[in-house]
Amino acid sequence: MRERKDNPLRSDAQRNRERILEVALVELTRSACAPLSTIAKKAGVGQGTFYRNFPNREALVLEVYRYEVQQVADAAAQLLRTRAPDRALREWMDRLAQYAMTKAGLAAALHKATSAHGGLVNLARGPLTSAVTLLLTANEEAGTIRPGVTPDDFMLAIAGLWQIDPHGDWQSRAGRLLDLVMDGLRSGAPGPGPG
């Protein structure tokens, strides 16, 4: 009997956690300093439920960030299923830029939450490195980019994205930067292989 009682609680707890994350994404994107009590209230959970899921601001911010980064990373495989490798890579770069620019408030919250823990790079490294590796490998096999480009090379090349003001004309600036990166990746490409 006891197991039956626990199952609904677990699904309720999961729904509470998801609601908190959804509200937190909106509120933290709007303002890095969004009060945790406001997030809990808008999510429809009590303070105790909130703090059982996220014992502090840092835990909440990091979980929101991990979820959002995973969405961007997952887009790589989705794009490769429906587009040529070079088109998939360029469109994924646009999605990454859009994420970076539209989540400026979240970025400020992340900076505050991670300043004492080595920065943001380590948080995104796994999912984004996997996505970039997938895209670069598909492009190298298709002969659409120069051989030997590593995920670290790629991330260094697009690092300028994080220098663009998200409140200015970021779309055209990001587009120009990413076109330059894409042109550089294509330079020295062997062309389509046999097959």
Side-chain angles (χ1 to χ4, degrees), residues 14-163:
Q14 183 60 35
R15 281 193 300 274
N16 286 340
R17 183 177 175 79
E18 289 168 6
R19 272 197 318 272
I20 293 167
L21 288 171
E22 289 167 12
V23 170
L25 175 60
V26 171
E27 294 300 313
L28 291 171
T29 297
R30 190 175 300 143
S31 169
C33 299
L36 298 182
S37 59
T38 300
I39 293 170
K41 185 175 181 179
K42 287 186 176 184
V45 300
Q47 295 291 317
T49 298
F50 181 90
Y51 285 107
R52 267 193 305 280
N53 282 281
F54 303 102
N56 54 46
R57 176 177 290 276
E58 179 181 291
L60 174 65
V61 170
L62 295 180
E63 189 58 31
V64 168
Y65 179 70
R66 282 187 191 103
Y67 174 79
E68 285 291 292
V69 164
Q70 193 60 55
Q71 298 305 303
V72 173
D74 290 347
Q78 295 163 4
L79 287 166
L80 280 171
R81 284 194 289 274
T82 58
R83 293 169 179 62
D86 58 336
R87 195 66 239 146
L89 176 59
R90 185 60 182 82
E91 287 185 32
W92 185 82
M93 290 162 66
D94 285 338
R95 287 188 185 193
L96 181 63
Q98 182 176 3
Y99 167 75
M101 296 302 113
T102 60
K103 302 301 183 214
L106 182 58
L110 281 163
H111 181 70
K112 286 182 178 188
T114 60
S115 59
H117 301 287
L120 302 176
V121 174
N122 294 331
L123 297 174
R125 184 162 297 223
L128 291 184
T129 299
S130 295
V132 170
T133 300
L134 182 68
L135 289 160
L136 292 177
T137 300
N139 276 277
E140 191 168 332
E141 289 172 358
T144 53
I145 64 170
R146 66 177 52 221
V149 177
T150 68
D152 284 342
D153 296 337
F154 177 84
M155 295 307 280
L156 185 59
I158 66 164
L161 276 178
W162 285 267
Q163 303 305 312

